[in-house]
Amino acid sequence: MEERDYRFVKHENPYTYRDGDLTVTRGSAWSGPGCHLGCGVLLYTNDEGELVKVEGDPENPFNEGRLCVRCLDLPEMVNNPKRLTHPLRRAKADRGRDRWERIGWDEALDLIACELNKVKEEHGPESVIFSCGTGRDIAPYITRLCWSFGSPNFVNIFSGNACYLPRVAGCIATTGAFWVADCAQQFPDRYDNPAWRMPETMFVWGNYPLIANSDGFFGHWVVDLMKRGMKIVMIDPKVTWLSAKAEVHLPVRPGTDAALALAMMNVIIGEDLYDHDFVDRWCYGFEELREHVQPFTPEYAEATTWVPAERIRKAARILAASKPATLQWGVAVDMTKEALPAGQAIMALFQVTGNVEVPGGIIVPPEILNYGGGWGFELLGDEQNEKRLGLDKYSLFRLGFQAAHPNTTIEAMKTGKPYPIKAAWVQTSNFLACMSANSTEVAECFRKLDFVAGADLFMTPTIMAFYDVVLPAAMFPERDGVRLGDGAQRAEAINKVCQVGECKSDMEMNLELGRRLAPEAWPWENVEDMFTEMIATSGITFPELREAAPVYLPFEYKKHEKGLLRPDGSPGFYTATGRIELWSTYYQNAGLDPLPVFDEPSPGPLATPELLDEYPLVLCTGARRWPFFHSEHRQAKRLLAMHPDPWIEIHPETCARLGVADGDWVWVENMLGRAKRRVKETPIFDPRIVAADHGWWNPEGDPENLYDIGDLCINNLIPWGNGKSGFGGNYKTNLCKVYKMKEGE
């Protein structure tokens, strides 16, 4: 380990110790229920083995003892009486009905293996899809299960994979790597590390990091650095605490981020504010970009984005003058059909200003395992991979991505072409309530399948609608695991401290099911040995990781100058030209525009003005809330009390025009469907925009009414449809009308 220069945090206590009458165990919170961050936690259990308290781990450099309310209220989730605690099955004829019977684990796993193998024998392994929700630490294991079974179709039921993956795909296509903001998270000594420099300005784009974010980014680092003098620029349609503290706030119309970025580029190039040395040495296609941005003046962008031209100029000049500047961006960039060119335009701003691979700029994070790429793809074979749904349409899915294309998968489920989909294994994904576009259509697709099985923490609308078998999944205090990937600069252990019912970890389920489906690919005696194999390249075993975590990987700046970004060891970036491609050779070869373009969101006020009489408001969805992570946490009474109703945020002027007031229940409707929301009257949005919560369902509702999802799900208004690249979907850029509900509705 010393030869590899791994860095360890010196802990005052071992990973488990006694504190009075309680046992304290150090661990990581990168699993359901929770979010993407993997904060360091201290889990307190009593002598009966019950989880009674959770605190932040002050010795963990990542979050330094800070936790959000979701982790603090974890005991209420773990000990919730509504938990799934044993395997269940029901007859296919009873789908949608609450007619479950309890079965044993062996019976459940044998049944699942039998049904999946039956489909494999009759239709081929490609006719079974494997799907999970928001990944976290599930992705490596479900992908291995999928590929060892012989199916090429690991897929998220999410139009255009419109969360995280569009940004990842775009970065890899144009630079060969993914990039994150440098907040010293790669160093155990953090802000005191002598190699690090604080960003002068952070651009927070399409993300409110204090509540929710991914890429291994802890939101309160923004506040840490603001206290140290860092300035921020906020790009967000709404006014927030951060935007009120910003040097400039750009309240961009949802879906027009590319136009805004191109206008900022127009200023930076037009006023000769770019980094000539970095562009000359390390960028490809600058002259083409220079010509391309000429029409994108701030005045053009003002009419398109609704951001005043002078604010655009001010933000561009701040970026060019900040040495260094960094970028913290989020899923709002992904949630428009043409997400890739939007991300390309945003990244180009930081590339031409030389804020790449420098202290305090944007950096390539070290990772033991790229969890987005899955684990065990070599088990599939080229012949089966060529059957992957969408691979023939979208060549970017060959660019390090092994997932099937979600929109093509739904189409195959509807039409049976290019081959029928007959079964599904779904792991902790409540996609009907959360990420699926047009949930009614998707539910019908899954109801037609011969067999559906999966695992989750609680009974959900998705399970009730069409599962035949459901397995009880363990929460993170109930299982072991490893925290890797997702922009992580560190490796951590998830440590089991309690047991609820018969719940098993996703890893145990996959190992036991894998032994039944493809035993040669699952040779391990237990999950601990499997974890050690998965992190073998680190030179650390799982027991060693558990004692030492967090373990920090080696890190260097300016890797492109040292040959550390290319497999051949030569200087440069991992692209065809060896440079950052402002003009992308990969996009050109894939039949896409090599330069970042702007497509007006459709439907939208400029693209479809004929719809405005009926649907006059821009509908933005997916606002993050303190007590919830997507569709999780609705069963916790304390968390639900913080935000008991699904909001739609509406400007007071718009409320007056519509005849609604704060607290009223309304219908939000467009050409696809409608959903119930409660009015939150607020001036934080432009009067032409309304913003609706996502992920809503009612765990107290009638199971056979699918917990009221038909009325509460905002995705009833979201269309299926992706960008030209296959990535991106319109989750934040639709049109709607709002009207008061009638009595009795």
Side-chain angles (χ1 to χ4, degrees):
M1 288 183 216
E2 289 75 19
E3 290 182 359
R4 297 176 65 88
D5 194 29
Y6 281 85
R7 288 157 290 176
F8 305 90
V9 176
K10 293 183 179 180
H11 296 285
E12 181 179 343
N13 296 298
Y15 87 92
T16 183
Y17 58 94
R18 293 289 289 184
D19 183 3
D21 295 334
L22 300 176
T23 298
V24 185
T25 304
R26 190 172 69 242
S28 175
W30 198 45
S31 174
C35 69
H36 290 289
L37 294 188
C39 289
V41 291
L42 299 178
L43 305 170
Y44 290 76
T45 51
N46 60 23
D47 289 338
E48 286 71 48
E50 299 170 322
L51 181 71
V52 296
K53 184 173 69 171
V54 179
E55 292 180 344
D57 182 358
E59 293 184 283
N60 191 304
F62 178 77
N63 57 309
E64 299 175 309
R66 296 172 288 191
L67 285 182
C68 74
V69 66
R70 297 186 295 271
C71 274
L72 293 172
D73 197 40
L74 185 63
E76 186 179 6
M77 292 293 286
V78 169
N79 303 312
N80 196 293
K82 292 185 176 293
R83 287 285 304 276
L84 289 171
T85 56
H86 45 262
L88 302 171
R89 75 173 177 190
R90 66 181 171 187
K92 182 179 177 181
D94 289 330
R95 288 179 179 176
R97 299 176 182 176
D98 192 18
R99 297 184 178 180
W100 300 95
E101 75 171 295
R102 179 175 178 173
I103 58 175
W105 269 100
D106 284 337
E107 183 180 2
L109 292 167
D110 288 344
L111 174 58
I112 293 168
C114 177
E115 292 294 332
L116 297 186
N117 277 328
K118 181 180 177 182
V119 171
K120 182 176 183 176
E121 291 168 7
E122 295 180 1
H123 303 280
E126 63 272 13
S127 290
V128 180
I129 63 171
F130 292 72
S131 185
C132 67
T134 183
R136 291 177 290 213
D137 61 336
I138 298 171
Y141 312 96
I142 188 173
T143 51
R144 189 177 190 88
L145 186 66
C146 175
W147 298 328
S148 65
F149 178 73
S151 173
N153 293 320
F154 167 66
V155 64
N156 291 313
I157 311 303
F158 198 179
S159 183
N161 279 315
C163 175
Y164 182 63
L165 290 182
R167 283 172 292 141
V168 174
C171 286
I172 292 174
T174 56
T175 71
F178 187 58
W179 302 82
V180 298
D182 181 10
C183 294
Q185 65 268 39
Q186 67 274 28
F187 301 122
D189 51 352
R190 296 299 307 279
Y191 309 132
D192 294 328
N193 189 279
W196 179 74
R197 180 180 174 187
M198 187 182 73
E200 288 188 19
T201 308
M202 175 182 287
F203 283 67
V204 183
W205 201 310
N207 172 234
Y208 193 59
L210 302 189
I211 296 180
N213 40 271
S214 64
D215 314 339
F217 186 94
F218 187 73
H220 283 270
W221 296 340
V222 179
V223 179
D224 291 346
L225 299 184
M226 289 168 66
K227 290 178 179 178
R228 291 168 176 259
M230 184 187 75
K231 300 173 183 178
I232 59 169
V233 171
M234 285 293 292
I235 300 92
D236 191 329
K238 65 181 176 181
V239 178
T240 63
W241 182 86
L242 281 178
S243 60
K245 304 292 183 182
E247 292 297 297
V248 59
H249 172 215
L250 307 179
V252 63
R253 173 166 66 95
T256 62
D257 302 88
L260 176 61
L262 291 169
M264 291 173 63
M265 185 66 76
N266 174 287
V267 175
I268 290 171
I269 294 178
E271 296 183 5
D272 197 25
L273 302 176
Y274 63 93
D275 186 323
H276 286 251
D277 180 65
F278 186 82
V279 167
D280 290 344
R281 295 178 64 198
W282 301 111
C283 293
Y284 177 82
F286 178 76
E287 291 305 319
E288 289 85 350
L289 180 65
R290 181 202 295 272
E291 182 178 351
H292 177 67
V293 299
Q294 294 309 305
F296 290 92
T297 64
E299 285 71 26
Y300 160 84
E302 178 174 348
T304 302
T305 67
W306 301 349
V307 178
E310 283 312 304
R311 289 202 203 180
I312 297 172
R313 287 190 172 89
K314 182 177 180 180
R317 291 164 181 162
I318 290 173
L319 173 55
S322 298
K323 301 295 181 185
T326 195
L327 169 68
Q328 166 57 21
W329 56 350
V331 300
V333 178
D334 305 320
M335 291 189 165
T336 185
K337 281 178 67 174
E338 295 306 331
L340 256 66
Q344 184 184 6
I346 293 167
M347 285 297 295
L349 292 170
F350 295 83
Q351 293 158 359
V352 303
T353 51
N355 288 295
V356 174
E357 276 291 292
V358 295
I362 54 174
I363 57 173
V364 177
E367 293 181 313
I368 289 178
L369 176 74
N370 179 358
Y371 91 119
W375 183 43
F377 188 64
E378 71 280 357
L379 298 168
L380 182 62
D382 293 341
E383 182 178 350
Q384 281 302 105
N385 181 46
E386 288 303 313
K387 298 178 184 178
R388 188 168 17 133
L389 290 169
L391 199 62
D392 57 333
K393 298 180 180 179
Y394 305 109
S395 62
L396 257 67
F397 277 74
R398 297 182 184 273
L399 190 65
F401 291 91
Q402 285 86 38
H405 184 245
N407 303 57
T408 305
T409 300
I410 294 299
E411 193 63 24
M413 295 173 79
K414 290 193 293 185
T415 65
K417 297 178 181 179
Y419 48 78
I421 302 300
K422 293 292 185 178
W425 165 258
V426 183
Q427 237 166 309
T428 52
S429 177
N430 184 14
F431 55 81
L432 287 187
C434 189
M435 62 184 180
S436 164
N438 198 338
S439 299
T440 302
E441 177 185 54
V442 171
E444 289 304 313
C445 289
F446 275 82
R447 286 191 184 101
K448 293 192 301 182
L449 299 184
D450 293 345
F451 181 72
V452 182
D456 219 314
L457 310 173
F458 295 90
M459 185 63 67
T460 68
T462 304
I463 296 170
M464 189 60 66
F466 41 72
Y467 280 31
D468 303 306
V469 179
V470 58
L471 306 179
M475 296 184 182
F476 70 83
E478 304 162 53
R479 63 179 181 81
D480 294 325
V482 289
R483 193 269 186 262
L484 304 165
D486 194 32
Q489 291 77 24
R490 67 197 193 284
E492 302 215 33
I494 300 169
N495 294 316
K496 181 175 180 175
V497 301
C498 60
Q499 176 70 46
V500 174
E502 298 178 13
C503 296
K504 289 182 182 287
S505 73
D506 295 277
M507 299 81 209
E508 290 177 281
M509 293 180 206
N510 288 353
L511 178 57
E512 294 186 21
L513 191 53
R515 286 171 175 160
R516 289 164 167 82
L517 296 174
E520 69 285 351
W522 300 84
W524 304 283
E525 289 295 320
N526 51 56
V527 293
E528 185 176 287
D529 291 343
M530 184 169 65
F531 299 151
T532 293
E533 174 70 21
M534 191 175 69
I535 63 174
T537 58
S538 71
I540 303 170
T541 67
F542 179 71
E544 290 172 333
L545 177 65
R546 171 179 274 155
E547 292 288 346
V551 175
Y552 283 74
L553 284 68
F555 181 82
E556 294 185 54
Y557 289 109
K558 297 190 176 181
K559 290 185 284 292
H560 60 290
E561 295 182 356
K562 305 169 185 176
L564 299 177
L565 293 179
R566 294 180 59 87
D568 61 10
S570 60
F573 297 85
Y574 192 26
T575 62
T577 61
R579 299 185 175 206
I580 288 173
E581 296 193 347
L582 304 172
W583 189 99
S584 172
T585 60
Y586 193 95
Y587 288 168
Q588 172 76 359
N589 292 334
L592 303 171
D593 198 309
L595 290 165
V597 296
F598 168 63
D599 279 23
E600 177 64 36
S602 182
L606 299 185
T608 56
E610 69 278 6
L611 297 178
L612 293 181
D613 287 343
E614 181 71 13
Y615 305 110
L617 299 168
V618 173
L619 172 63
C620 183
T621 69
R624 305 302 196 252
R625 303 300 180 194
W626 291 105
F628 309 131
F629 183 65
H630 298 306
S631 66
E632 293 179 359
H633 301 102
R634 264 75 181 180
Q635 299 85 359
K637 293 181 180 179
R638 279 177 287 185
L639 296 178
L640 189 61
M642 294 178 64
H643 195 87
D645 300 311
W647 283 354
I648 184 164
E649 295 174 303
I650 309 178
H651 193 279
E653 293 176 11
T654 309
C655 285
R657 189 172 74 250
L658 298 175
V660 300
D662 192 70
D664 284 350
W665 282 93
V666 296
W667 287 108
V668 187
E669 183 178 323
N670 67 10
M671 60 289 292
L672 291 177
R674 67 179 187 173
K676 291 179 179 178
R677 284 296 178 274
R678 195 162 194 172
V679 172
K680 177 69 173 177
E681 192 171 336
T682 173
I684 66 173
F685 279 97
D686 185 290
R688 294 164 286 186
I689 299 172
V690 294
D693 291 347
H694 79 300
W696 271 92
W697 58 293
N698 178 19
E700 302 299 324
D702 181 359
E704 297 192 357
N705 193 38
L706 302 187
Y707 303 101
D708 304 325
I709 192 176
D711 285 343
L712 294 176
C713 185
I714 199 65
N715 289 3
N716 295 336
L717 287 73
I718 305 297
W720 279 92
N722 54 261
K724 302 179 188 72
S725 65
F727 289 96
N730 276 354
Y731 284 82
K732 293 186 179 292
T733 59
N734 290 286
L735 294 178
C736 74
K737 62 182 177 182
V738 176
Y739 55 94
K740 189 180 291 188
M741 289 174 55
K742 297 177 182 178
E743 188 173 347
E745 288 187 316

